[in-house]
């Protein structure tokens, strides 16, 4: 049965089958079907034929089609045929309802006849599947497990039935597969299933094409893009750039200096990739020295680094990301040495005091030097730089021995301050020094030494026993008892008598005392050996000779040898009457047991019968006529002669000389007449004194003149030849030891000096006589009461000087 033109044969068959079914079920009601989107004007049924009515009847009976509603009609009745009048869109009319039916009523009048007509709209595949969005965005955490499902938006196809969505397909990829499910309403939806775990760090994003296809023919499909964004999971640890950091740091690096910077990277994103640094394991000591910057990873010095305290540090640093994942690395810091420690000197032992007799090279101490630094900074040179007899010998390791290099002498240098200097070989080198005090102890190596090689002393005879004669001193530079000196006399004999009976010595002071009085006339000198001994053990000693010279004292008066004083008979000299002025008439001879000045005699006439007639030689004792003798002169002439020595005080003796002026011995009167007439002697005495005074003054004046002359000529020497030749027969036997020249042992030289700068001051007699006869420097002064009439060399007045008395120094000595 063909119900519509232009329909294919196959369709025609299909529709016939359908209609047959509908007709049967509708019982008189008519049912037709037509495809959507069919062409306008298409005839899809012949109602006249189906109802068995003619066309004429239809128009007569006003046949028409009504719709239950007044919507679009889509079809109409033309003749007896049903024709499509409008485009029918099934999806518009019925949406997704599986069947779509339009219901009409076929109305006939006369009689009214009503038939229901049902028009089934058949679907055709005119719509493609469509996804709601052209892109599906999925954010999936990379930590998502395998098998995780992510539902996807469903695609829609307005067509129904087979023309609806039948399948989904996913572009081939590494991570996802598709799982398709059916809805309860028969629709299909799909899920994305994770087949391989994601790694953001490998691929952050991927796009997959999802295709939905229907079952129509021809098949239609629709696509959408699934954009998968892989979200980060904190699945990465921070990673240090090195597992172990090694760095070397010089000690004493300033605070704040950067040691090194550690870096760790985290592949994660955001907070998961933000790394902070910290020390994870650090000793308390290191914690005081190093700090780490949390953000930059810079390790800085915050304390003072001392190599000597610790030379390596091992720190652990930790890098942590925002989510708390952490990893660690090691930091090894090697501290390098800087020469910051001076050597330290330790005195390990010291044998002080050092005996002064130790041999050179003797070890006296052990010194140890230390330097806390290392390497060259620890190499030390140690020395003594002073000019002292000590040096340092390197010994084992850093030990040195201090040895002497020369002989020591405590008496020269008793102690040393030895400075030991130690210098290391760092750059710059550091050095330190230590001063040790070395004292030298005494050894009895010095004998006492006398201050003089020999001593001589002068003792005036008639000394008091016990008086000190002289003193000797010996010095011993040794220490304490080694330098304590004791004196003693070496036993010997003087004139067969032990010396100890003459002198004794004070053992402590060295003062020599006379034990008895000495007599110059008995012996004049002796020698004593004095020993000085120290108190060391064994003691050392030395000796010295002390010569004791006994000096003369004027303790003997002149002795007149001629004229012989003994006996009653006076010796009378004959004087020829014709004796002229100056002729020698007699000579007085006297001796003095003393010596020197004490034995230097001067003669003076103290009394005479005729004071103008005779004169006596001051030193010669020669009596000469002063004028020619005349007839008027008395025949008997008596002279009283005083012989005076020059001692201090001087001693004198007087004697009388009787002269007879006569040529004939027969004229000699009785000797008793020659006795002295006391009556006129007084006058005579005055005359004599006057004469002597005048002549003394005159002589003094002459001497003064001569002395001044000589002084002017700068040859200040006056030579007196005071020798008196005495026939040896006159000498008493006990004076025979006196030199052959007689009482005065030698020629006496008197030197007169005027002190420079003053012509008139001191007047000095200096002689070549043994200078030591008188204690040198003895000053003889005129005593105010000294009225001596004799010529006295010790008392000369110098009117020009205006002084009462002048100092006159007289030195007498023997030329022999
Ligand atoms: C050594 O030093 C001490 C103390 O400084 C000082 O008293 C002494 O005189 C010095 N000795 C020498 C020989 O320099
Ligand atoms: C004296 O010298 C001896 C060695 O001759 C020595 O043993 C002693 O200590 C010294 N005495 C003093 C006080 O120095
Ligand atoms: C006195 O000293 C000398 C050297 O100065 C020496 O030869 C002599 O033996 C010493 N005499 C005595 C008795 O000690």
């Amino acid at each position: 049965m063909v119900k519509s033109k232009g329909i294919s044969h196959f369709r025609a068959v299909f529709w016939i089958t359908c209609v047959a079914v509908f007709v049967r079920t509708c019982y008189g009601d008519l049912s037709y079907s037509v495809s959507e989107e069919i062409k306008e004007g298409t005839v899809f049924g012949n109602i006249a034929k189906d109802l068995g009515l003619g066309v004429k009847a239809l128009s007569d009976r006003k046949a028409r089609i009504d719709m239950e509603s007044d919507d679009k009609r889509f079809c109409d009745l033309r003749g007896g045929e049903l024709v499509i009048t409008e485009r029918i869109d099934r999806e518009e009319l019925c949406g997704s309802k599986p069947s779509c039916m339009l219901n009409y009523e076929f109305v006939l009048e006369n009689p009214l006849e009503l038939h229901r007509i049902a028009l089934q709209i058949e679907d055709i595949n005119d719509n493609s599947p469509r996804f709601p969005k052209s892109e599906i965005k999925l954010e999936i955490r990379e930590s998502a497990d395998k098998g995780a499902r992510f539902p996807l938006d469903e695609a829609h196809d307005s067509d129904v039935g087979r023309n609806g969505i039948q399948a989904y397909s996913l572009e081939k990829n590494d991570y996802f597969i598709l799982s398709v499910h059916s809805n309860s309403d028969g629709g299909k939806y799909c899920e994305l299933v994770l087949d391989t775990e994601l790694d953001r760090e490998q691929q952050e994003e991927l796009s997959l094409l999802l295709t939905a296809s229907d079952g129509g023919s021809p098949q239609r499909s629709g696509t959408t893009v699934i954009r998968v964004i892989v979200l980060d999971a904190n699945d990465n640890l921070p990673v240090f750039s090195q597992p172990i950091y090694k760095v070397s740091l010089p000690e004493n690096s300033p605070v704040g200096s950067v040691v090194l910077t550690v870096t760790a990277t985290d592949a994660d994103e955001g907070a998961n990739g933000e790394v902070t640094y910290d020390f994870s394991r650090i000793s308390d000591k290191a914690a005081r020295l190093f700090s780490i910057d949390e953000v930059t990873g810079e390790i800085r010095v915050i304390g003072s680094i001392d190599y000597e305290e610790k030379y390596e540090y091992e720190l652990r640093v930790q890098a942590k990301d925002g989510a708390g994942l952490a990893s660690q690395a090691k930091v090894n810091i090697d501290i390098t040495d800087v020469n910051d420690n001076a050597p330290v000197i330790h005195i390990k032992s010291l044998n002080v005091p050092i005996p002064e007799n130790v041999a050179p090279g003797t070890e006296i101490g052990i010194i140890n030097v230390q330097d806390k630094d290392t390497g060259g900074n620890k190499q030390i040179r140690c020395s003594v730089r002073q000019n002292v007899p000590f040096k340092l010998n390197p010994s084992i390791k850093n030990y040195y021995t201090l040895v002497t290099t020369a002989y020591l002498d405590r008496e020269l240098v008793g102690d040393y301050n030895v400075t030991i200097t130690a210098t290391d070989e760092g750059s710059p080198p550091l050095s330190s020094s230590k001063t040790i005090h070395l004292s030298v102890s005494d050894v009895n190596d010095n004998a006492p030494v006398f201050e003089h090689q020999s001593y001589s002393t002068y003792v005036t005879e008639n000394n008091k026993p016990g008086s000190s004669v002289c003193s000797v001193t010996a010095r011993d530079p040794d220490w304490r008892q080694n330098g304590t000196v004791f004196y003693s006399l070496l036993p010997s004999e003087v004139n067969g008598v032990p010396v100890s009976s003459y002198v004794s010595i004070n053992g402590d002071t060295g003062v020599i005392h006379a034990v008895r009085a000495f007599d110059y006339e008995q012996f004049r000198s002796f020698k004593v050996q004095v020993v000085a001994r120290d108190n060391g053990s064994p003691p050392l000693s030395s000796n010295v000779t002390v010569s004791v010279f006994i000096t003369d004292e004027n303790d003997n008066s002149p002795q007149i040898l001629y004229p012989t004083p003994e006996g009653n008979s006076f010796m009378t000299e004959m004087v020829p009457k014709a004796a002229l002025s100056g002729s020698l008439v007699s000579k007085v001879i006297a001796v003095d047991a003393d010596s020197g000045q004490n034995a230097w005699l001067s003669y003076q006439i103290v009394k005479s019968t005729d004071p103008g007639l005779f004169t006596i030689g001051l030193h010669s004792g020669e009596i000469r006529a002063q004028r020619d003798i005349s007839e008027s002169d008395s025949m008997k002439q008596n002279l009283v002669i005083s012989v005076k020595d020059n001692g201090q005080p001087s001693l004198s003796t007087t004697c009388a000389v009787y002269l007879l002026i006569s040529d004939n011995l027969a004229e000699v009167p009785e000797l008793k007449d020659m006795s002295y007439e006391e009556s006129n002697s007084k006058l005579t005495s005055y005359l004599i004194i006057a004469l002597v005074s005048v002549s003394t003054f005159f002589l003094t004046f002459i001497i003064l003149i001569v002395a001044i002359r000589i002084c002017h000529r700068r040859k200040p020497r006056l030579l007196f030849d005071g020798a008196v030749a005495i026939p040896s027969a006159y000498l008493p036997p006990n004076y025979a030891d006196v030199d052959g020249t007689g009482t005065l042992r030698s020629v006496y030289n008197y030197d007169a000096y005027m002190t420079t700068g003053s012509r008139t001051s001191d007047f000095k007699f200096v002689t070549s006589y043994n200078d030591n006869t008188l204690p040198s420097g003895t000053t003889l002064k005129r005593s105010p009461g000294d009225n001596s009439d004799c010529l006295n060399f010790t008392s000369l007045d110098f009117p020009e000087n205006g002084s009462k008395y002048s100092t006159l120094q007289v030195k007498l000595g023997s030329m022999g």
Side-chain angles (χ1 to χ4, degrees), residues 19-32 101 116-118:
V19 169
V21 171
F22 275 88
V23 168
R24 208 180 333 151
T25 53
C26 291
Y27 283 103
D29 287 354
L30 298 169
S31 165
Y32 301 92
M101 195 96 69
R116 279 192 289 156
I117 296 171

Side-chain angles (χ1 to χ4, degrees), residues 37 40 58-59 69 99 153 169 257 290 303 329 332 398 449 464 468 548 552 774 784 811-812:
E37 309 281 352
E40 279 173 44
L58 289 178
S59 61
S69 62
S99 80
D153 290 344
S169 70
S257 47
F290 301 105
N332 286 341
N398 41 5
V449 175
K464 274 197 205 119
S468 85
V548 180
D552 187 40
L774 282 175
K811 283 191 175 181
L812 300 174

Side-chain angles (χ1 to χ4, degrees), residues 413 415-417 437:
V413 187
D415 59 346
Y416 294 91
N417 285 336
H437 183 248

Side-chain angles (χ1 to χ4, degrees), residues 360-378:
T362 305
E363 183 177 306
I364 53 167
I366 294 172
I367 279 128
N368 178 249
V369 278
Q370 306 275 356
D371 195 308
K372 283 196 204 149
D373 294 319
T374 48
N377 299 340
K378 199 186 180 69

Side-chain angles (χ1 to χ4, degrees), residues 583-586 588 614-616 621-624 639 641 657:
S583 60
L584 183 69
V585 292
S586 182
V588 177
F614 297 104
T615 172
I616 189 162
E622 286 168 349
I623 302 167
R624 291 174 188 276
L639 302 174
I641 313 272
V657 175

